[in-house]
Amino acid sequence: QVQLVESGGGLVQAGGSLRLSCAASGRSISSDYMGWFRQAPGKEREWVARISSTSRYTYYQDSVKGRFTISRDNAKNTVYLQMNSLKPEDTAVYYCARYVRGNLYAATSYDSWGQGTQVTVSS
């Protein structure tokens, strides 16, 4: 049983940066693929980035490539999302989750969802 808590969101101007954190408790996530998702008002939850257990592999949605970086510190049982060059269209609630099985791009393949952290980018 893993509990995830997202933090680090806030209000920033376009072009600014934020670093999101996802702190895990209850058990180690060192053997898990982890993902970041986001959900904008009136939109479905969409996959943003994914990282393998040892950080060897990372994957990104095309719209955030070159701007966002997913990372993890297994000693701290924490996953991060560094967001640079933020755009208004990045505005959403951001969630992290643990991959379980199935389609790696699908939210239904993940569990242990937290409450999310709000990111708002103004123009």
Side-chain angles (χ1 to χ4, degrees), residues 6-10 20-21 36 92-95 115-119:
E6 302 93 340
S7 63
L20 307 184
S21 296
W36 282 97
V93 177
Y94 283 72
Y95 302 88
Q115 290 297 110
T117 185
Q118 176 71 50
V119 172

Side-chain angles (χ1 to χ4, degrees), residues 1-122:
Q1 185 67 38
V2 177
Q3 295 81 45
L4 302 177
V5 178
E6 302 93 340
S7 63
L11 174 63
V12 298
Q13 294 183 349
S17 298
L18 285 172
R19 189 193 192 205
L20 307 184
S21 296
C22 173
S25 61
R27 58 153 288 170
S28 174
I29 58 169
S30 62
S31 63
D32 296 315
Y33 271 70
M34 300 293 292
W36 282 97
F37 294 77
R38 66 187 182 187
Q39 188 165 22
K43 304 294 184 180
E44 294 186 355
R45 189 169 299 186
E46 66 176 355
W47 171 78
V48 176
R50 181 174 67 250
I51 188 168
S52 63
S53 60
T54 64
S55 303
R56 181 173 182 178
Y57 303 106
T58 58
Y59 307 87
Y60 300 93
Q61 184 193 100
D62 285 344
S63 67
V64 308
K65 287 181 180 177
R67 300 190 298 120
F68 290 11
T69 302
I70 188 171
S71 62
R72 67 194 299 163
D73 185 342
N74 285 339
K76 296 182 178 180
N77 219 28
T78 301
V79 181
Y80 305 96
L81 186 68
Q82 178 67 47
M83 305 186 297
N84 299 325
S85 301
L86 283 162
K87 304 175 180 179
E89 51 262 46
D90 295 318
T91 295
V93 177
Y94 283 72
Y95 302 88
C96 65
R98 183 182 72 98
Y99 175 76
V100 180
R101 58 184 172 272
N103 189 335
L104 287 163
Y105 300 96
T108 53
S109 299
Y110 296 74
D111 70 4
S112 303
W113 299 92
Q115 290 297 110
T117 185
Q118 176 71 50
V119 172
T120 302
V121 184
S122 65

